[in-house]
Amino acid sequence: ADAVTSKGSALAQGDTIQVLAVPAGSQVLFAGFQVMTVMTGTSTDTTLDFGVTGGDVDCWVDGFDLDGASALAYAPAATAAITPAETFFSAADTLDLLIATQTGTITGGTIRVFAHILNCAPRNAFPGIAAIGS
């Protein structure tokens, strides 16, 4: 419902939902999602990818079967090797869910998205923190 409200219309194949903000100078060590309440609607072929739009759209999850998932199911990690270059964010960005395939409609369901994000920015880049040796 939140995604539909934010978009202003029904969700559709190809929609991207920005779910987590990643600050500049951060490394995403791992990320994923869990189905909290099952998807409702008429879709019988909905798959989700989880990654970075404009980069590797299925970096962490590839082709998760949303309509077939039970409550509390975790999306399995993508099988492709992820390189540190793919998961380091020199500029601020977002982690995104992509509706890769969809038939019919999605009317409900809840997903919990998570990531372990390591802040690699220089310590003196934060206001109010004294630089080492100052």
Side-chain angles (χ1 to χ4, degrees), residues 5-48:
T5 300
S6 177
K7 180 183 174 190
S9 62
L11 298 176
Q13 180 174 321
D15 281 353
T16 299
I17 304 165
Q18 296 178 339
V19 293
L20 291 174
V22 180
S26 296
Q27 181 87 36
V28 178
L29 300 180
F30 64 86
F33 62 86
Q34 179 184 23
V35 175
M36 301 309 290
T37 59
V38 296
M39 185 206 88
T40 57
T42 62
S43 184
T44 57
D45 189 23
T46 300
T47 60
L48 300 178

Side-chain angles (χ1 to χ4, degrees), residues 60-71:
W60 288 283
V61 176
D62 183 17
F64 179 76
D65 182 8
L66 182 63
D67 56 274
S70 59

